[in-house]
Structures are given as structure tokens and as C-alpha cells.
Amino acid sequence: MINPTVTVVMPTYNCLETLPKAIDTVRMQGLELEILVIDDGSNDGSGEWLAEQADIKVIKTNRVGVSNARNLAIEAAKGELIAFLDADDYWHLDKFTHQLAMHRANPELVMSFTDYLFYIEGERTRLHCFQFWPRFHRWLKQVGSPMTYVFNDFMPDLYRENMVGTSTVLARRDALLAVGGFDASLKSASDWDLWLKLADYGPIGVVNEPLCDYTFGRVGAISGNHEKRAQAMKSILDKHAAAVWRNPICLLAGYQRWLSASADNMRFKKAYGGAVLRELAGFCLKPDIQTLKTVSGDTLKMLSLR
């Protein structure tokens, strides 16, 4: 893979406010890239703006959803490698410098991903996202340098913690097609499901450097997705459990994370008793002080409602 061709896949729906900036960060890479934008029924002027961009190929769809949109683009792409970018995320200038070098040196890689900076819309939050995943972050601190790593069996770690930001991923098109792309039946977390399928298919590369700015959206919008997220997590964990059963620590940690997400859903509904039960079940799988503190807080809230 001396000089692989790359297709950038960008789904968009009414993102005209951020889309031009996202596209500019693609152009800044200084490479000849195929840019495929899937306009999923926008009515905010995005279609008109895209029609004026000579270097962008547009696929028009009508509210098919982000997973179907990405799958259509993967099918239509001409590149050997597929880079994903959401219309409200932004790449750093040297993103492809690091990732393409890694893929050239390790052509067996099915995918690579990088650290990214996390923003909450309307706030000044700016954090390295690998820090959100304690086990993975602790491992990175222990090994120190180098900046890039290749994992031949990354699935157990990815099952335990979903540290992959979609807008940082660079994946082989043939591998994406071989594993079936995104599962459009999932209401949430179809990206995590795909990364697990790829990790089961071949080696994964990691760049321990933030090379993307990721916009998380408003906190209220995030909270409203708790139920879909918990349901999807359980479905994905069950689907891939057989592939990690030889690593019981990762298997249990994955289900503990689902129980925590399910508790978040109960908490959002102010059903604190249900949250306590789920957190205690999670504590049985992975005992820690923070879970006990959370249980205590939920118990106090539950009693205050009586």
C-alpha cells in the first residue's frame, strides 16, 4: 500500500452551519481525496451549497438515516481506504500524515483511529477523549511512547470500552464490505458494532494523538438518547459475546458498562430505585468505590421523593 487512494464519507442533514468548515478541514490535508457527501434530505440550503462545490460528489437520499447513508457511500466509493467525518466535526491539519503512514507501513491493518478533542455545544469543555476510558488510558500512560500502536487482537479491549471516535477512523473499504458495513437496524451505537466486527476481522491501529475536534451536541439532546443507547448496547454485547468469552474480565466489564448506561436511563426518568438495582448489579461484576457513591446518591434522591 505505497500510495493508497482515499474516499472521505460525510453524511449530512441540515448541517449548513458547520458543513463548510468540516469540508475545509478535509481540503487542508493537502491530498487528492474523493469527497463523498450524502445529503439525507436537507432543507437548510445544504443542497444548494454542495452543488457549487466542484470537488465534492453528492449522493442525495431522503431520510434513510446515518447508517444507511454511510453504507451507500461505502458501496459507491472508489478509494481503497475510507475516512469517516461527521458534518459537525473537524480534522486537524496532520491527521492523514500520521494515519496514512501507519497504513503504508502496516498494509494488513483493517482500520486505524486516533485520539480526539471533545466539545459540548455551547460550552467550553475541551478534553482528550481517550481520557474518558480509564483502562485504555491507563495502558497508554504505562507504555508511554511510541505514538502509534498496532493491535492484532483488539476486540476484547474494544468490547470493554468504546474509545473509537467515528470521525477519526480510516478503514479499508474491502474490510468494511466484508463485514457488512453499518447495521442500520440498530437505533444507536451502530458505529461501535462495526468497529467490533472489524476488530474481529483483522489488526487495528491506534494513533495516541488528538487529530480531530468532536462536537457532542447539547446536553439535553444527549440525555434523551439514554434508552436507545442502553438497548443498543445490550444487543451489541450479546451479539459479540462469543468472540470475547475467553477474556472474562473484558466480557464482564462490557456488561457492567451496559448496566451503568441502563442506570443512567432510569436516573433520567427519575426512577432512582431502578437505577440503584442496576448499579448494584454492576458493582457485583466490577466492584469500585465510585459505584457505591453513585448508589448512595441515588438512594438519597429516591428517599427524597417519598
Side-chain angles (χ1 to χ4, degrees), residues 128-162:
H128 287 229
C129 288
F130 281 177
Q131 295 176 1
F132 293 159
W133 307 102
R135 297 173 186 85
F136 186 61
H137 182 57
R138 187 163 55 246
W139 181 86
L140 289 173
K141 288 181 67 176
Q142 286 173 351
V143 298
S145 57
M147 188 174 71
T148 59
Y149 311 90
V150 173
F151 296 88
N152 290 315
D153 184 20
F154 195 59
M155 190 171 184
D157 298 279
L158 187 53
Y159 189 90
R160 179 170 62 181
E161 296 178 327
N162 179 22

PDB file of all heavy atoms in Angstrom, residues 128-162:
ATOM      1  N   HIS A 128      -9.314  15.519  26.084  1.00  0.00           N
ATOM      2  CA  HIS A 128      -8.832  14.412  25.266  1.00  0.00           C
ATOM      3  C   HIS A 128      -9.741  13.208  25.528  1.00  0.00           C
ATOM      4  O   HIS A 128      -9.882  12.763  26.664  1.00  0.00           O
ATOM      5  CB  HIS A 128      -7.396  14.053  25.638  1.00  0.00           C
ATOM      6  CG  HIS A 128      -6.395  15.047  25.164  1.00  0.00           C
ATOM      7  ND1 HIS A 128      -5.248  14.679  24.491  1.00  0.00           N
ATOM      8  CD2 HIS A 128      -6.365  16.395  25.236  1.00  0.00           C
ATOM      9  CE1 HIS A 128      -4.549  15.759  24.177  1.00  0.00           C
ATOM     10  NE2 HIS A 128      -5.214  16.815  24.639  1.00  0.00           N
ATOM     11  N   CYS A 129     -10.337  12.675  24.478  1.00  0.00           N
ATOM     12  CA  CYS A 129     -11.363  11.654  24.679  1.00  0.00           C
ATOM     13  C   CYS A 129     -10.826  10.318  25.158  1.00  0.00           C
ATOM     14  O   CYS A 129     -11.550   9.571  25.798  1.00  0.00           O
ATOM     15  CB  CYS A 129     -12.171  11.485  23.395  1.00  0.00           C
ATOM     16  SG  CYS A 129     -13.251  12.899  23.114  1.00  0.00           S
ATOM     17  N   PHE A 130      -9.568   9.998  24.871  1.00  0.00           N
ATOM     18  CA  PHE A 130      -9.020   8.754  25.398  1.00  0.00           C
ATOM     19  C   PHE A 130      -9.021   8.761  26.936  1.00  0.00           C
ATOM     20  O   PHE A 130      -9.022   7.694  27.568  1.00  0.00           O
ATOM     21  CB  PHE A 130      -7.591   8.535  24.887  1.00  0.00           C
ATOM     22  CG  PHE A 130      -7.514   7.999  23.481  1.00  0.00           C
ATOM     23  CD1 PHE A 130      -6.273   7.805  22.873  1.00  0.00           C
ATOM     24  CD2 PHE A 130      -8.656   7.679  22.756  1.00  0.00           C
ATOM     25  CE1 PHE A 130      -6.182   7.313  21.577  1.00  0.00           C
ATOM     26  CE2 PHE A 130      -8.579   7.187  21.462  1.00  0.00           C
ATOM     27  CZ  PHE A 130      -7.330   7.002  20.866  1.00  0.00           C
ATOM     28  N   GLN A 131      -9.052   9.936  27.532  1.00  0.00           N
ATOM     29  CA  GLN A 131      -9.075  10.023  28.991  1.00  0.00           C
ATOM     30  C   GLN A 131     -10.395   9.539  29.574  1.00  0.00           C
ATOM     31  O   GLN A 131     -10.477   9.239  30.767  1.00  0.00           O
ATOM     32  CB  GLN A 131      -8.825  11.468  29.430  1.00  0.00           C
ATOM     33  CG  GLN A 131      -7.449  11.996  29.079  1.00  0.00           C
ATOM     34  CD  GLN A 131      -7.257  13.457  29.449  1.00  0.00           C
ATOM     35  OE1 GLN A 131      -8.158  14.090  29.986  1.00  0.00           O
ATOM     36  NE2 GLN A 131      -6.087  13.998  29.151  1.00  0.00           N
ATOM     37  N   PHE A 132     -11.452   9.467  28.750  1.00  0.00           N
ATOM     38  CA  PHE A 132     -12.754   9.006  29.237  1.00  0.00           C
ATOM     39  C   PHE A 132     -12.773   7.500  29.503  1.00  0.00           C
ATOM     40  O   PHE A 132     -13.697   7.002  30.136  1.00  0.00           O
ATOM     41  CB  PHE A 132     -13.857   9.319  28.224  1.00  0.00           C
ATOM     42  CG  PHE A 132     -14.133  10.778  28.031  1.00  0.00           C
ATOM     43  CD1 PHE A 132     -14.759  11.221  26.884  1.00  0.00           C
ATOM     44  CD2 PHE A 132     -13.785  11.716  28.990  1.00  0.00           C
ATOM     45  CE1 PHE A 132     -15.034  12.570  26.687  1.00  0.00           C
ATOM     46  CE2 PHE A 132     -14.049  13.055  28.811  1.00  0.00           C
ATOM     47  CZ  PHE A 132     -14.667  13.493  27.659  1.00  0.00           C
ATOM     48  N   TRP A 133     -11.787   6.798  28.970  1.00  0.00           N
ATOM     49  CA  TRP A 133     -11.791   5.335  29.054  1.00  0.00           C
ATOM     50  C   TRP A 133     -10.645   4.901  29.952  1.00  0.00           C
ATOM     51  O   TRP A 133      -9.509   4.781  29.517  1.00  0.00           O
ATOM     52  CB  TRP A 133     -11.664   4.747  27.648  1.00  0.00           C
ATOM     53  CG  TRP A 133     -12.716   5.325  26.745  1.00  0.00           C
ATOM     54  CD1 TRP A 133     -12.549   6.293  25.808  1.00  0.00           C
ATOM     55  CD2 TRP A 133     -14.101   5.010  26.761  1.00  0.00           C
ATOM     56  NE1 TRP A 133     -13.760   6.594  25.222  1.00  0.00           N
ATOM     57  CE2 TRP A 133     -14.728   5.817  25.780  1.00  0.00           C
ATOM     58  CE3 TRP A 133     -14.891   4.108  27.499  1.00  0.00           C
ATOM     59  CZ2 TRP A 133     -16.094   5.762  25.522  1.00  0.00           C
ATOM     60  CZ3 TRP A 133     -16.243   4.052  27.243  1.00  0.00           C
ATOM     61  CH2 TRP A 133     -16.834   4.853  26.266  1.00  0.00           C
ATOM     62  N   PRO A 134     -10.906   4.670  31.245  1.00  0.00           N
ATOM     63  CA  PRO A 134      -9.837   4.539  32.249  1.00  0.00           C
ATOM     64  C   PRO A 134      -8.841   3.424  31.975  1.00  0.00           C
ATOM     65  O   PRO A 134      -7.631   3.623  32.145  1.00  0.00           O
ATOM     66  CB  PRO A 134     -10.598   4.307  33.562  1.00  0.00           C
ATOM     67  CG  PRO A 134     -11.989   3.925  33.154  1.00  0.00           C
ATOM     68  CD  PRO A 134     -12.246   4.582  31.852  1.00  0.00           C
ATOM     69  N   ARG A 135      -9.298   2.249  31.557  1.00  0.00           N
ATOM     70  CA  ARG A 135      -8.363   1.137  31.369  1.00  0.00           C
ATOM     71  C   ARG A 135      -7.449   1.403  30.170  1.00  0.00           C
ATOM     72  O   ARG A 135      -6.247   1.199  30.241  1.00  0.00           O
ATOM     73  CB  ARG A 135      -9.133  -0.170  31.174  1.00  0.00           C
ATOM     74  CG  ARG A 135      -9.965  -0.571  32.393  1.00  0.00           C
ATOM     75  CD  ARG A 135     -10.824  -1.779  32.073  1.00  0.00           C
ATOM     76  NE  ARG A 135     -11.726  -2.099  33.171  1.00  0.00           N
ATOM     77  CZ  ARG A 135     -12.912  -1.523  33.349  1.00  0.00           C
ATOM     78  NH1 ARG A 135     -13.330  -0.592  32.508  1.00  0.00           N
ATOM     79  NH2 ARG A 135     -13.686  -1.866  34.359  1.00  0.00           N
ATOM     80  N   PHE A 136      -8.056   1.850  29.067  1.00  0.00           N
ATOM     81  CA  PHE A 136      -7.270   2.138  27.872  1.00  0.00           C
ATOM     82  C   PHE A 136      -6.303   3.289  28.132  1.00  0.00           C
ATOM     83  O   PHE A 136      -5.132   3.214  27.761  1.00  0.00           O
ATOM     84  CB  PHE A 136      -8.217   2.488  26.722  1.00  0.00           C
ATOM     85  CG  PHE A 136      -7.533   2.673  25.394  1.00  0.00           C
ATOM     86  CD1 PHE A 136      -6.835   1.635  24.804  1.00  0.00           C
ATOM     87  CD2 PHE A 136      -7.592   3.892  24.735  1.00  0.00           C
ATOM     88  CE1 PHE A 136      -6.208   1.792  23.572  1.00  0.00           C
ATOM     89  CE2 PHE A 136      -6.972   4.066  23.505  1.00  0.00           C
ATOM     90  CZ  PHE A 136      -6.280   3.012  22.930  1.00  0.00           C
ATOM     91  N   HIS A 137      -6.767   4.333  28.803  1.00  0.00           N
ATOM     92  CA  HIS A 137      -5.914   5.483  29.098  1.00  0.00           C
ATOM     93  C   HIS A 137      -4.771   5.092  30.022  1.00  0.00           C
ATOM     94  O   HIS A 137      -3.625   5.519  29.829  1.00  0.00           O
ATOM     95  CB  HIS A 137      -6.757   6.585  29.742  1.00  0.00           C
ATOM     96  CG  HIS A 137      -5.991   7.834  30.055  1.00  0.00           C
ATOM     97  ND1 HIS A 137      -5.303   8.554  29.106  1.00  0.00           N
ATOM     98  CD2 HIS A 137      -5.793   8.488  31.235  1.00  0.00           C
ATOM     99  CE1 HIS A 137      -4.733   9.593  29.659  1.00  0.00           C
ATOM    100  NE2 HIS A 137      -5.002   9.569  30.957  1.00  0.00           N
ATOM    101  N   ARG A 138      -5.046   4.247  30.990  1.00  0.00           N
ATOM    102  CA  ARG A 138      -4.004   3.790  31.915  1.00  0.00           C
ATOM    103  C   ARG A 138      -2.939   2.990  31.167  1.00  0.00           C
ATOM    104  O   ARG A 138      -1.739   3.143  31.411  1.00  0.00           O
ATOM    105  CB  ARG A 138      -4.646   2.953  33.022  1.00  0.00           C
ATOM    106  CG  ARG A 138      -3.702   2.560  34.133  1.00  0.00           C
ATOM    107  CD  ARG A 138      -4.462   2.110  35.371  1.00  0.00           C
ATOM    108  NE  ARG A 138      -5.405   1.037  35.105  1.00  0.00           N
ATOM    109  CZ  ARG A 138      -6.722   1.157  35.209  1.00  0.00           C
ATOM    110  NH1 ARG A 138      -7.263   2.311  35.567  1.00  0.00           N
ATOM    111  NH2 ARG A 138      -7.520   0.137  34.970  1.00  0.00           N
ATOM    112  N   TRP A 139      -3.381   2.154  30.215  1.00  0.00           N
ATOM    113  CA  TRP A 139      -2.426   1.375  29.429  1.00  0.00           C
ATOM    114  C   TRP A 139      -1.545   2.295  28.593  1.00  0.00           C
ATOM    115  O   TRP A 139      -0.327   2.101  28.521  1.00  0.00           O
ATOM    116  CB  TRP A 139      -3.181   0.403  28.529  1.00  0.00           C
ATOM    117  CG  TRP A 139      -2.259  -0.451  27.706  1.00  0.00           C
ATOM    118  CD1 TRP A 139      -1.679  -1.635  28.074  1.00  0.00           C
ATOM    119  CD2 TRP A 139      -1.777  -0.173  26.384  1.00  0.00           C
ATOM    120  NE1 TRP A 139      -0.872  -2.116  27.059  1.00  0.00           N
ATOM    121  CE2 TRP A 139      -0.914  -1.229  26.011  1.00  0.00           C
ATOM    122  CE3 TRP A 139      -1.994   0.862  25.481  1.00  0.00           C
ATOM    123  CZ2 TRP A 139      -0.277  -1.285  24.775  1.00  0.00           C
ATOM    124  CZ3 TRP A 139      -1.359   0.821  24.246  1.00  0.00           C
ATOM    125  CH2 TRP A 139      -0.519  -0.246  23.903  1.00  0.00           C
ATOM    126  N   LEU A 140      -2.128   3.304  27.963  1.00  0.00           N
ATOM    127  CA  LEU A 140      -1.361   4.241  27.152  1.00  0.00           C
ATOM    128  C   LEU A 140      -0.318   4.977  27.998  1.00  0.00           C
ATOM    129  O   LEU A 140       0.811   5.206  27.559  1.00  0.00           O
ATOM    130  CB  LEU A 140      -2.286   5.253  26.475  1.00  0.00           C
ATOM    131  CG  LEU A 140      -3.172   4.726  25.348  1.00  0.00           C
ATOM    132  CD1 LEU A 140      -4.144   5.797  24.895  1.00  0.00           C
ATOM    133  CD2 LEU A 140      -2.335   4.228  24.167  1.00  0.00           C
ATOM    134  N   LYS A 141      -0.684   5.352  29.212  1.00  0.00           N
ATOM    135  CA  LYS A 141       0.259   6.039  30.101  1.00  0.00           C
ATOM    136  C   LYS A 141       1.396   5.103  30.496  1.00  0.00           C
ATOM    137  O   LYS A 141       2.546   5.528  30.637  1.00  0.00           O
ATOM    138  CB  LYS A 141      -0.465   6.558  31.341  1.00  0.00           C
ATOM    139  CG  LYS A 141      -1.372   7.751  31.077  1.00  0.00           C
ATOM    140  CD  LYS A 141      -2.040   8.241  32.342  1.00  0.00           C
ATOM    141  CE  LYS A 141      -1.041   8.838  33.311  1.00  0.00           C
ATOM    142  NZ  LYS A 141      -1.696   9.400  34.508  1.00  0.00           N
ATOM    143  N   GLN A 142       1.086   3.841  30.688  1.00  0.00           N
ATOM    144  CA  GLN A 142       2.105   2.881  31.109  1.00  0.00           C
ATOM    145  C   GLN A 142       3.134   2.642  30.012  1.00  0.00           C
ATOM    146  O   GLN A 142       4.339   2.564  30.278  1.00  0.00           O
ATOM    147  CB  GLN A 142       1.440   1.555  31.501  1.00  0.00           C
ATOM    148  CG  GLN A 142       0.714   1.616  32.827  1.00  0.00           C
ATOM    149  CD  GLN A 142      -0.077   0.345  33.099  1.00  0.00           C
ATOM    150  OE1 GLN A 142      -0.217  -0.516  32.231  1.00  0.00           O
ATOM    151  NE2 GLN A 142      -0.615   0.217  34.314  1.00  0.00           N
ATOM    152  N   VAL A 143       2.667   2.533  28.758  1.00  0.00           N
ATOM    153  CA  VAL A 143       3.605   2.239  27.671  1.00  0.00           C
ATOM    154  C   VAL A 143       4.348   3.482  27.202  1.00  0.00           C
ATOM    155  O   VAL A 143       5.433   3.383  26.614  1.00  0.00           O
ATOM    156  CB  VAL A 143       2.890   1.575  26.477  1.00  0.00           C
ATOM    157  CG1 VAL A 143       2.292   0.246  26.884  1.00  0.00           C
ATOM    158  CG2 VAL A 143       1.821   2.480  25.884  1.00  0.00           C
ATOM    159  N   GLY A 144       3.768   4.676  27.477  1.00  0.00           N
ATOM    160  CA  GLY A 144       4.438   5.920  27.109  1.00  0.00           C
ATOM    161  C   GLY A 144       4.554   6.089  25.611  1.00  0.00           C
ATOM    162  O   GLY A 144       3.572   6.223  24.904  1.00  0.00           O
ATOM    163  N   SER A 145       5.758   6.092  25.073  1.00  0.00           N
ATOM    164  CA  SER A 145       5.955   6.191  23.632  1.00  0.00           C
ATOM    165  C   SER A 145       6.105   4.757  23.078  1.00  0.00           C
ATOM    166  O   SER A 145       6.375   3.829  23.830  1.00  0.00           O
ATOM    167  CB  SER A 145       7.197   7.020  23.333  1.00  0.00           C
ATOM    168  OG  SER A 145       8.327   6.448  23.969  1.00  0.00           O
ATOM    169  N   PRO A 146       5.913   4.538  21.790  1.00  0.00           N
ATOM    170  CA  PRO A 146       5.720   5.490  20.692  1.00  0.00           C
ATOM    171  C   PRO A 146       4.294   6.026  20.620  1.00  0.00           C
ATOM    172  O   PRO A 146       3.452   5.674  21.450  1.00  0.00           O
ATOM    173  CB  PRO A 146       6.039   4.633  19.461  1.00  0.00           C
ATOM    174  CG  PRO A 146       5.596   3.265  19.861  1.00  0.00           C
ATOM    175  CD  PRO A 146       5.938   3.142  21.321  1.00  0.00           C
ATOM    176  N   MET A 147       4.045   6.849  19.586  1.00  0.00           N
ATOM    177  CA  MET A 147       2.738   7.470  19.437  1.00  0.00           C
ATOM    178  C   MET A 147       1.746   6.548  18.743  1.00  0.00           C
ATOM    179  O   MET A 147       0.535   6.711  18.877  1.00  0.00           O
ATOM    180  CB  MET A 147       2.877   8.777  18.644  1.00  0.00           C
ATOM    181  CG  MET A 147       1.630   9.615  18.578  1.00  0.00           C
ATOM    182  SD  MET A 147       1.938  11.204  17.776  1.00  0.00           S
ATOM    183  CE  MET A 147       2.178  10.670  16.087  1.00  0.00           C
ATOM    184  N   THR A 148       2.226   5.559  17.986  1.00  0.00           N
ATOM    185  CA  THR A 148       1.340   4.667  17.242  1.00  0.00           C
ATOM    186  C   THR A 148       1.504   3.227  17.711  1.00  0.00           C
ATOM    187  O   THR A 148       2.591   2.811  18.131  1.00  0.00           O
ATOM    188  CB  THR A 148       1.623   4.742  15.732  1.00  0.00           C
ATOM    189  OG1 THR A 148       2.981   4.368  15.493  1.00  0.00           O
ATOM    190  CG2 THR A 148       1.387   6.156  15.200  1.00  0.00           C
ATOM    191  N   TYR A 149       0.413   2.476  17.643  1.00  0.00           N
ATOM    192  CA  TYR A 149       0.401   1.093  18.099  1.00  0.00           C
ATOM    193  C   TYR A 149      -0.417   0.264  17.127  1.00  0.00           C
ATOM    194  O   TYR A 149      -1.401   0.736  16.552  1.00  0.00           O
ATOM    195  CB  TYR A 149      -0.229   0.975  19.498  1.00  0.00           C
ATOM    196  CG  TYR A 149       0.314   1.949  20.504  1.00  0.00           C
ATOM    197  CD1 TYR A 149      -0.269   3.204  20.659  1.00  0.00           C
ATOM    198  CD2 TYR A 149       1.411   1.614  21.298  1.00  0.00           C
ATOM    199  CE1 TYR A 149       0.228   4.115  21.577  1.00  0.00           C
ATOM    200  CE2 TYR A 149       1.914   2.528  22.222  1.00  0.00           C
ATOM    201  CZ  TYR A 149       1.327   3.768  22.357  1.00  0.00           C
ATOM    202  OH  TYR A 149       1.825   4.665  23.258  1.00  0.00           O
ATOM    203  N   VAL A 150      -0.034  -1.002  16.978  1.00  0.00           N
ATOM    204  CA  VAL A 150      -0.795  -1.951  16.185  1.00  0.00           C
ATOM    205  C   VAL A 150      -1.225  -3.096  17.099  1.00  0.00           C
ATOM    206  O   VAL A 150      -0.392  -3.685  17.799  1.00  0.00           O
ATOM    207  CB  VAL A 150       0.043  -2.505  15.008  1.00  0.00           C
ATOM    208  CG1 VAL A 150      -0.722  -3.625  14.300  1.00  0.00           C
ATOM    209  CG2 VAL A 150       0.363  -1.387  14.018  1.00  0.00           C
ATOM    210  N   PHE A 151      -2.518  -3.392  17.101  1.00  0.00           N
ATOM    211  CA  PHE A 151      -3.078  -4.451  17.942  1.00  0.00           C
ATOM    212  C   PHE A 151      -3.594  -5.568  17.046  1.00  0.00           C
ATOM    213  O   PHE A 151      -4.464  -5.343  16.197  1.00  0.00           O
ATOM    214  CB  PHE A 151      -4.224  -3.925  18.796  1.00  0.00           C
ATOM    215  CG  PHE A 151      -3.827  -2.888  19.805  1.00  0.00           C
ATOM    216  CD1 PHE A 151      -3.809  -1.547  19.466  1.00  0.00           C
ATOM    217  CD2 PHE A 151      -3.470  -3.250  21.093  1.00  0.00           C
ATOM    218  CE1 PHE A 151      -3.451  -0.584  20.395  1.00  0.00           C
ATOM    219  CE2 PHE A 151      -3.097  -2.299  22.027  1.00  0.00           C
ATOM    220  CZ  PHE A 151      -3.087  -0.954  21.679  1.00  0.00           C
ATOM    221  N   ASN A 152      -3.085  -6.772  17.240  1.00  0.00           N
ATOM    222  CA  ASN A 152      -3.555  -7.919  16.461  1.00  0.00           C
ATOM    223  C   ASN A 152      -4.844  -8.507  17.014  1.00  0.00           C
ATOM    224  O   ASN A 152      -5.590  -9.162  16.283  1.00  0.00           O
ATOM    225  CB  ASN A 152      -2.471  -9.000  16.407  1.00  0.00           C
ATOM    226  CG  ASN A 152      -1.290  -8.570  15.565  1.00  0.00           C
ATOM    227  OD1 ASN A 152      -1.461  -8.040  14.479  1.00  0.00           O
ATOM    228  ND2 ASN A 152      -0.076  -8.787  16.073  1.00  0.00           N
ATOM    229  N   ASP A 153      -5.110  -8.275  18.295  1.00  0.00           N
ATOM    230  CA  ASP A 153      -6.347  -8.780  18.913  1.00  0.00           C
ATOM    231  C   ASP A 153      -6.925  -7.678  19.799  1.00  0.00           C
ATOM    232  O   ASP A 153      -6.791  -7.704  21.020  1.00  0.00           O
ATOM    233  CB  ASP A 153      -6.066 -10.041  19.733  1.00  0.00           C
ATOM    234  CG  ASP A 153      -7.345 -10.639  20.315  1.00  0.00           C
ATOM    235  OD1 ASP A 153      -8.430 -10.321  19.795  1.00  0.00           O
ATOM    236  OD2 ASP A 153      -7.257 -11.405  21.288  1.00  0.00           O
ATOM    237  N   PHE A 154      -7.555  -6.712  19.163  1.00  0.00           N
ATOM    238  CA  PHE A 154      -8.051  -5.542  19.882  1.00  0.00           C
ATOM    239  C   PHE A 154      -9.508  -5.695  20.324  1.00  0.00           C
ATOM    240  O   PHE A 154     -10.013  -4.877  21.075  1.00  0.00           O
ATOM    241  CB  PHE A 154      -7.933  -4.312  18.979  1.00  0.00           C
ATOM    242  CG  PHE A 154      -8.068  -2.997  19.697  1.00  0.00           C
ATOM    243  CD1 PHE A 154      -7.210  -2.652  20.727  1.00  0.00           C
ATOM    244  CD2 PHE A 154      -9.067  -2.103  19.346  1.00  0.00           C
ATOM    245  CE1 PHE A 154      -7.332  -1.448  21.399  1.00  0.00           C
ATOM    246  CE2 PHE A 154      -9.198  -0.894  20.007  1.00  0.00           C
ATOM    247  CZ  PHE A 154      -8.330  -0.556  21.030  1.00  0.00           C
ATOM    248  N   MET A 155     -10.172  -6.758  19.882  1.00  0.00           N
ATOM    249  CA  MET A 155     -11.607  -6.856  20.137  1.00  0.00           C
ATOM    250  C   MET A 155     -11.978  -6.872  21.627  1.00  0.00           C
ATOM    251  O   MET A 155     -12.912  -6.190  22.033  1.00  0.00           O
ATOM    252  CB  MET A 155     -12.187  -8.082  19.441  1.00  0.00           C
ATOM    253  CG  MET A 155     -13.717  -8.093  19.461  1.00  0.00           C
ATOM    254  SD  MET A 155     -14.403  -9.377  18.439  1.00  0.00           S
ATOM    255  CE  MET A 155     -16.146  -9.007  18.615  1.00  0.00           C
ATOM    256  N   PRO A 156     -11.276  -7.639  22.494  1.00  0.00           N
ATOM    257  CA  PRO A 156     -11.658  -7.619  23.910  1.00  0.00           C
ATOM    258  C   PRO A 156     -11.596  -6.218  24.528  1.00  0.00           C
ATOM    259  O   PRO A 156     -12.484  -5.827  25.288  1.00  0.00           O
ATOM    260  CB  PRO A 156     -10.648  -8.563  24.565  1.00  0.00           C
ATOM    261  CG  PRO A 156     -10.241  -9.483  23.463  1.00  0.00           C
ATOM    262  CD  PRO A 156     -10.217  -8.629  22.237  1.00  0.00           C
ATOM    263  N   ASP A 157     -10.557  -5.448  24.185  1.00  0.00           N
ATOM    264  CA  ASP A 157     -10.430  -4.094  24.719  1.00  0.00           C
ATOM    265  C   ASP A 157     -11.551  -3.189  24.209  1.00  0.00           C
ATOM    266  O   ASP A 157     -12.089  -2.362  24.943  1.00  0.00           O
ATOM    267  CB  ASP A 157      -9.077  -3.498  24.330  1.00  0.00           C
ATOM    268  CG  ASP A 157      -7.927  -4.290  24.905  1.00  0.00           C
ATOM    269  OD1 ASP A 157      -7.601  -4.095  26.079  1.00  0.00           O
ATOM    270  OD2 ASP A 157      -7.360  -5.117  24.169  1.00  0.00           O
ATOM    271  N   LEU A 158     -11.911  -3.353  22.939  1.00  0.00           N
ATOM    272  CA  LEU A 158     -12.958  -2.545  22.339  1.00  0.00           C
ATOM    273  C   LEU A 158     -14.332  -2.963  22.848  1.00  0.00           C
ATOM    274  O   LEU A 158     -15.251  -2.142  22.932  1.00  0.00           O
ATOM    275  CB  LEU A 158     -12.889  -2.676  20.811  1.00  0.00           C
ATOM    276  CG  LEU A 158     -13.786  -1.789  19.968  1.00  0.00           C
ATOM    277  CD1 LEU A 158     -13.624  -0.322  20.337  1.00  0.00           C
ATOM    278  CD2 LEU A 158     -13.479  -1.996  18.492  1.00  0.00           C
ATOM    279  N   TYR A 159     -14.481  -4.231  23.186  1.00  0.00           N
ATOM    280  CA  TYR A 159     -15.724  -4.726  23.789  1.00  0.00           C
ATOM    281  C   TYR A 159     -15.918  -4.104  25.166  1.00  0.00           C
ATOM    282  O   TYR A 159     -17.033  -3.762  25.569  1.00  0.00           O
ATOM    283  CB  TYR A 159     -15.646  -6.244  23.901  1.00  0.00           C
ATOM    284  CG  TYR A 159     -16.910  -6.948  24.314  1.00  0.00           C
ATOM    285  CD1 TYR A 159     -17.828  -7.388  23.364  1.00  0.00           C
ATOM    286  CD2 TYR A 159     -17.179  -7.220  25.658  1.00  0.00           C
ATOM    287  CE1 TYR A 159     -18.979  -8.071  23.736  1.00  0.00           C
ATOM    288  CE2 TYR A 159     -18.327  -7.893  26.038  1.00  0.00           C
ATOM    289  CZ  TYR A 159     -19.222  -8.312  25.080  1.00  0.00           C
ATOM    290  OH  TYR A 159     -20.366  -8.989  25.461  1.00  0.00           O
ATOM    291  N   ARG A 160     -14.834  -3.947  25.882  1.00  0.00           N
ATOM    292  CA  ARG A 160     -14.872  -3.407  27.239  1.00  0.00           C
ATOM    293  C   ARG A 160     -15.093  -1.902  27.245  1.00  0.00           C
ATOM    294  O   ARG A 160     -15.851  -1.369  28.058  1.00  0.00           O
ATOM    295  CB  ARG A 160     -13.551  -3.745  27.954  1.00  0.00           C
ATOM    296  CG  ARG A 160     -13.440  -3.234  29.366  1.00  0.00           C
ATOM    297  CD  ARG A 160     -12.231  -3.808  30.053  1.00  0.00           C
ATOM    298  NE  ARG A 160     -10.977  -3.425  29.403  1.00  0.00           N
ATOM    299  CZ  ARG A 160      -9.776  -3.830  29.827  1.00  0.00           C
ATOM    300  NH1 ARG A 160      -9.683  -4.636  30.865  1.00  0.00           N
ATOM    301  NH2 ARG A 160      -8.685  -3.422  29.211  1.00  0.00           N
ATOM    302  N   GLU A 161     -14.450  -1.181  26.312  1.00  0.00           N
ATOM    303  CA  GLU A 161     -14.539   0.282  26.268  1.00  0.00           C
ATOM    304  C   GLU A 161     -14.571   0.749  24.812  1.00  0.00           C
ATOM    305  O   GLU A 161     -13.659   0.419  24.047  1.00  0.00           O
ATOM    306  CB  GLU A 161     -13.333   0.924  26.967  1.00  0.00           C
ATOM    307  CG  GLU A 161     -13.239   0.645  28.448  1.00  0.00           C
ATOM    308  CD  GLU A 161     -11.987   1.278  29.061  1.00  0.00           C
ATOM    309  OE1 GLU A 161     -10.950   1.371  28.368  1.00  0.00           O
ATOM    310  OE2 GLU A 161     -12.061   1.690  30.230  1.00  0.00           O
ATOM    311  N   ASN A 162     -15.587   1.506  24.454  1.00  0.00           N
ATOM    312  CA  ASN A 162     -15.676   2.005  23.075  1.00  0.00           C
ATOM    313  C   ASN A 162     -14.974   3.357  22.977  1.00  0.00           C
ATOM    314  O   ASN A 162     -15.583   4.422  23.035  1.00  0.00           O
ATOM    315  CB  ASN A 162     -17.140   2.144  22.641  1.00  0.00           C
ATOM    316  CG  ASN A 162     -17.255   2.681  21.226  1.00  0.00           C
ATOM    317  OD1 ASN A 162     -16.320   2.584  20.434  1.00  0.00           O
ATOM    318  ND2 ASN A 162     -18.395   3.258  20.911  1.00  0.00           N
TER     319      ASN A 162
END
